[in-house]
């Protein structure tokens, strides 16, 4: 699996005159963005999580970019003014530890180029296009087997032409090292061709690829007027239809997360996949803890599997105190009962804050003459959107020496939380809510020391056993039972995307969506069930209007037809419906939803039957 790219970005852009003197060519803007920013975005969308940029001319622009983006490092070719692209490749490549994609920084391209190279089974491939008339073409000649053997800017130099050099290639580490050993300077194109005498370096032609290089003003005009509209048209033709899920998960995902599921068939018992699992588990852990002291145990299953695994594995003989202030707290009590865990329930109203003093006194009281060993609480009660104060509960658990187990299924990866600081022993989570991955992976995060020693009492669960799962993975680098391979690949991409966005920024984005929703509801005269200050900002329970003609099913269908999916309420005694503001959405989506909601309410009030 290729995960690294090298960008050649040292060039002086002398043919661009003053344009090239002001900024590196990668910072020329096409379609409202710097071409290098677009290139990086497309690389990340294709699972590349490490980009090394070989800089030189006006390197500070790239250094600033690397400062902002955790995946980007810059390596400078100090002699850029007197050396060629090969010298830049040689310094940049030193930071590369595996096979990589090699791109020039001054090209604009349809992302199909990346798809083609990443899916080509051969290790060394140079991408070619058909005729572009782009000016300054580098022509390529290959033999019948597709091995590259000559390049030239003068077409007449070549006996035959297989296509134009695009400036995107794939190289194995071994081939790269051989190239560096043989060439210290000159054009990297010629160095690659020379290496093809010994190493199998093939060409791959995409006849009609939309792409352009920008070395002079004519090429910049062509990039803006010809190449860019073509790229937009082609990429939009391949876009996946967007339906906005305003449901509390699975949440709306990005196209790149959806596409990450389309991978070559892969046996999950291969070491290659084990490395992906480890990376994914560490990435999940790092959102809430230090992955050296803590681990995420992954299981195939929905969120409930994580909650059940946590309760069944972490609570020994108990007793356990479960906080029930909504459907998911009640579900934990039911799971504990099903597992035969000695358990008491602390009930609290679903729309008001927990009485922490009352909870503490229940905790102190014990159960059947024994002190509680564990307390379980839902961080964010998805039933109503009510947030429970986990840090305050954690502090009380610390005082009483009780381990805290948290159902963080709907808060994880949005509401910043540090397990150690909040005194949380285990956190149950899933891939498909704020993480913006696909449904099917349950996870429990806790300390490595805890998982290493967990041996649940006999009869709890064979499959949902966190101790066995953790120890097996540590020993074998595999999951005990078949993992959902494609779902794991989507989670890997989702983690890349949350690392780029950051948990706090993601929560701020969701919060902006929520604030837009509350403004819209107020304008329509609708009320929320939970007071504003107690709301999670992730899920909002809305009181159903008393208006004649209103019906949830009709409202749901009306909104769904307009691209917005909403959720029914979950409280038996208070009629509500729910809108979640999580997933790959923006406040504009919420404005669209509020407009659809307003249309429905007005039509229903007038007794119009089309709804
Ligand atoms: N716990 C909480 C707080 C939830 O919000 C959910 C689902 O919405 C679950 C548990 C159960 O997750 P799943 O439906 O994936 O089993
Ligand atoms: Mg050129
Ligand atoms: Mg160039």
């Amino acid at each position: 699996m290729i995960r690294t790219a090298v960008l050649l970005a040292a060039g002086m852009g002398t043919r661009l005159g003053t344009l090239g003197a002001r900024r590196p060519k990668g910072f020329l803007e096409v379609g409202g963005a710097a071409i290098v920013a677009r290139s990086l975005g497309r690389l990340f969308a294709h699972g590349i999580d490490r980009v090394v940029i070989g800089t030189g001319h006006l390197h500070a622009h790239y250094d600033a970019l690397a400062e902002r983006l955790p995946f980007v490092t810059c390596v400078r070719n100090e002699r850029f003014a007197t050396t060629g692209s090969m010298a830049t490749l040689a310094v940049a490549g030193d930071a590369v530890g595996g096979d990589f994609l090699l791109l020039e920084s001054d090209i604009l391209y349809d992302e199909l180029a990346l798809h083609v190279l990443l899916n080509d089974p051969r290790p060394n491939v140079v991408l070619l296009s058909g005729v572009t008339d782009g000016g300054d073409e580098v022509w390529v000649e290959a033999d019948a087997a597709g091995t590259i053997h000559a390049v030239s800017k003068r077409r007449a130099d070549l006996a035959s032409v297989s296509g134009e050099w695009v400036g995107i290639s794939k190289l194995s580490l071994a081939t790269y090292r051989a190239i560096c050993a043989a060439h210290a300077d000159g054009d990297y194109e010629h160095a690659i061709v020379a290496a093809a005498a010994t190493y199998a370096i093939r060409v791959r032609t995409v006849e009609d690829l939309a792409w352009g290089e920008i070395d002079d003003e004519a090429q910049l005009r062509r990039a803006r007027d010809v190449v860019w509209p073509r790229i937009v048209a082609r990429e939009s033709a391949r876009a996946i239809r967007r339906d906005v899920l305003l449901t509390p998960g699975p949440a709306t995902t990005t196209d790149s997360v959806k596409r990450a599921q389309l991978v070559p068939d892969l046996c999950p018992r291969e070491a290659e996949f084990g490395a992906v699992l480890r990376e994914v588990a560490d990435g999940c852990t790092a959102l809430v803890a230090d992955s050296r002291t803590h681990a995420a145990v992954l299981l195939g299953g929905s969120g409930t599997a994580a909650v059940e695994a946590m309760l069944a594995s972490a609570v020994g003989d108990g007793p356990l105190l479960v906080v029930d202030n909504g459907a998911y707290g009640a579900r934990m009590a039911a799971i504990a009962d099903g597992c035969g865990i000695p358990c008491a329930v602390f009930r609290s109203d679903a729309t008001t804050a927990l009485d922490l003093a009352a909870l503490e006194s229940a905790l102190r009281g014990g159960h059947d003459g024994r002190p509680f060993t564990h307390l379980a609480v839902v961080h964010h009660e998805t039933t109503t959107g009510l947030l429970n104060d986990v840090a305050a509960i954690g502090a009380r658990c610390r005082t009483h020496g009780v381990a805290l187990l948290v159902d963080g299924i709907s808060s994880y990866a949005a509401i910043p939380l540090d397990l150690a600081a909040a005194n949380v022993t285990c956190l149950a989570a899933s891939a498909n809510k704020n993480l913006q991955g696909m449904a099917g992976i349950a996870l429990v995060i806790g300390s490595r020391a805890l998982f290493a020693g967990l041996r649940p009492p006999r009869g709890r669960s064979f499959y949902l056993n966190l101790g066995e799962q953790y120890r097996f993975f540590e020993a074998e680098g595999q999951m005990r039972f078949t993992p959902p391979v494609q779902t794991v690949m989507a989670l890997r991409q989702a983690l890349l995307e949350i690392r780029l966005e950051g948990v706090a920024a993601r929560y701020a984005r969701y919060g902006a969506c929520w604030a837009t929703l509350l403004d819209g509801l107020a304008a329509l005269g609708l009320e929320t069930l939970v007071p504003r200050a107690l709301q999670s900002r992730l899920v909002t329970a809305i009181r159903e209007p008393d208006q004649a003609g209103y019906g949830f099913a009709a409202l749901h269908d009306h909104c769904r037809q307009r691209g917005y999916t909403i959720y029914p309420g979950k409280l038996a005694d208070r009629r509500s419906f729910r809108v979640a503001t999580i997933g790959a959405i923006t406040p504009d989506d919420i404005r669209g939803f509020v407009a659809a909601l307003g249309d429905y309410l007005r039509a229903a009030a007038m007794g119009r039957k089309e709804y």
Side-chain angles (χ1 to χ4, degrees):
M1 200 170 100
I2 300 244
R3 47 187 327 154
T4 309
V6 172
L7 243 63
L8 298 174
M12 299 179 45
T14 32
R15 276 177 287 157
L16 275 159
T18 49
L19 266 180
R22 260 187 272 136
R23 54 193 160 183
K25 285 187 285 179
F27 285 81
L28 292 168
E29 290 195 1
V30 177
I35 57 172
V36 68
R38 193 188 131 73
S39 187
L40 290 174
R42 289 298 185 265
L43 287 165
F44 295 139
H46 285 267
I48 300 291
D49 63 358
R50 197 141 169 269
V51 180
V52 181
I53 307 184
T55 65
H57 179 58
L58 302 175
H59 60 85
H61 287 75
Y62 286 107
D63 296 338
L65 199 66
E67 192 74 27
R68 275 193 292 117
L69 298 173
F71 303 109
V72 176
T73 10
C74 289
V75 179
R76 201 180 313 164
N77 172 11
E78 302 286 358
R79 298 181 298 119
F80 70 91
T82 54
T83 56
S85 53
M86 186 57 227
T88 307
L89 174 56
V91 296
D94 279 349
V96 171
D99 304 354
F100 63 94
L101 289 183
L102 176 58
L103 296 92
E104 295 173 28
S105 63
D106 58 354
I107 52 174
L108 181 69
Y109 55 88
D110 182 338
E111 64 183 333
L112 178 64
L114 303 179
H115 174 85
V116 166
L117 286 191
L118 290 170
N119 283 285
D120 194 299
R122 301 165 300 179
N124 301 302
V125 184
V126 171
L127 187 68
L128 308 185
S129 76
V131 172
T132 62
D133 289 323
D136 197 35
E137 294 91 339
V138 176
W139 306 102
V140 178
E141 185 180 326
D143 66 17
T147 301
I148 190 164
H149 69 86
V151 292
S152 178
K153 285 200 177 184
R154 280 179 313 205
R155 202 177 170 145
D157 286 353
L158 306 179
S160 71
V161 164
S162 303
E164 291 182 23
W165 185 285
V166 173
I168 308 179
S169 314
K170 182 172 73 168
L171 289 179
S172 76
L173 188 60
T175 304
Y176 164 73
R177 291 203 170 126
I179 291 171
C180 289
H183 304 266
D185 200 357
D187 289 336
Y188 85 103
E189 293 97 323
H190 285 101
I192 286 180
V193 170
T198 324
Y199 289 82
I201 303 179
R202 314 290 191 191
V203 297
R204 174 78 182 259
T205 309
V206 179
E207 267 312 318
D208 198 25
L209 186 72
W211 76 280
E213 185 185 17
I214 310 178
D215 277 331
D216 58 35
E217 285 201 50
Q219 287 183 328
L220 178 59
R221 269 195 307 279
R222 176 178 177 268
R224 287 181 175 153
D225 300 343
V226 179
V227 179
W228 178 243
R230 238 183 244 167
I231 291 176
V232 170
R234 289 183 192 178
E235 289 187 357
S236 74
R238 289 192 297 264
I240 300 165
R241 192 187 72 204
R242 189 156 184 274
D243 285 321
V244 177
L245 297 181
L246 301 177
T247 56
T252 304
T253 54
T254 57
D255 280 12
S256 38
V257 166
K258 294 180 185 85
R259 290 202 167 106
Q261 297 174 103
L262 298 175
V263 287
D265 290 315
L266 171 62
C267 171
R269 304 244 171 250
E270 289 296 324
E272 184 188 0
F273 190 71
V276 173
L277 281 174
R278 198 172 289 280
E279 169 198 339
V280 164
D282 287 349
C284 289
T285 307
L287 299 179
V288 290
D290 182 337
S291 57
R292 289 166 301 182
T293 56
H294 285 66
V297 179
L298 307 180
L299 296 157
S302 78
T304 305
V307 176
E308 185 159 341
M310 174 172 78
L311 297 176
S313 306
V315 186
D317 295 326
L320 165 75
L321 180 61
V322 176
V323 176
D324 167 3
N325 59 349
Y328 295 101
R331 185 179 294 175
M332 285 205 289
I335 290 170
D337 187 52
C339 291
I341 297 170
C343 174
V345 178
F346 178 86
R347 284 198 181 78
S348 173
D349 178 64
T351 59
T352 49
L354 277 178
D355 180 342
L356 290 175
L359 177 60
E360 188 168 10
S361 110
L363 201 54
R364 205 181 289 121
H367 180 61
D368 285 343
R370 289 198 298 143
F372 287 110
T373 58
H374 293 74
L375 184 150
V377 68
V378 177
H379 188 188
H380 164 216
E381 245 309 347
T382 321
T383 314
T384 54
L386 178 74
L387 200 57
N388 287 321
D389 188 344
V390 163
I393 297 169
R396 280 157 179 84
C397 285
R398 184 178 277 128
T399 306
H400 298 281
V402 168
L404 176 58
L405 309 178
V406 176
D407 170 350
I409 306 278
S410 63
S411 58
Y412 171 72
I415 301 180
L417 178 70
D418 179 328
L419 296 192
N423 190 36
V424 174
T425 299
C426 282
L427 182 82
S430 73
N432 57 279
K433 293 189 192 280
N434 310 319
L435 213 41
Q436 299 181 187
M438 295 295 158
I441 300 171
L443 49 130
V444 180
I445 305 173
S447 80
R448 290 183 179 275
L450 173 85
F451 291 137
L454 275 187
R455 287 187 168 68
R458 242 180 104 81
R460 287 276 164 85
S461 176
F462 183 77
Y463 187 88
L464 302 174
N465 185 319
L466 296 179
E468 291 298 335
Q469 184 80 347
Y470 175 78
R471 290 184 292 270
F472 188 89
F473 184 70
E474 289 305 304
E476 308 291 335
Q478 307 177 3
M479 265 159 75
R480 256 165 107 212
F481 309 111
T482 309
V485 175
Q486 290 72 15
T487 310
V488 169
M489 297 312 290
L491 178 54
R492 175 183 181 269
Q493 184 66 32
L495 282 164
L496 218 72
E497 293 176 13
I498 197 169
R499 265 183 66 205
L500 265 186
E501 185 174 19
V503 173
R506 178 160 294 183
Y507 193 36
R509 175 167 59 83
Y510 291 175
C513 291
W514 166 79
T516 304
L517 174 68
L518 289 209
D519 288 349
L521 295 177
L524 293 171
L526 295 172
E527 292 170 356
T528 62
L529 277 191
V530 173
R532 192 178 175 114
L534 301 178
Q535 290 180 29
S536 63
R537 308 177 171 213
L538 306 175
V539 173
T540 304
I542 299 155
R543 211 180 285 283
E544 294 198 300
D546 284 330
Q547 165 184 322
Y550 168 87
F552 176 75
L555 168 63
H556 167 274
D557 294 353
H558 170 90
C559 293
R560 180 109 206 273
Q561 271 168 18
R562 283 153 186 78
Y564 308 100
T565 306
I566 59 170
Y567 229 44
K570 212 174 165 76
L571 283 183
D573 57 343
R574 276 156 285 188
R575 288 177 48 225
S576 65
F577 66 92
R578 287 177 294 167
V579 176
T581 40
I582 65 171
I585 61 167
T586 66
D588 272 344
D589 293 315
I590 302 301
R591 279 185 274 276
F593 162 68
V594 168
L597 174 60
D599 286 348
Y600 168 78
L601 292 175
R602 279 183 293 276
M606 293 190 305
R608 289 221 309 262
K609 284 289 179 225
E610 69 256 41
Y611 297 126

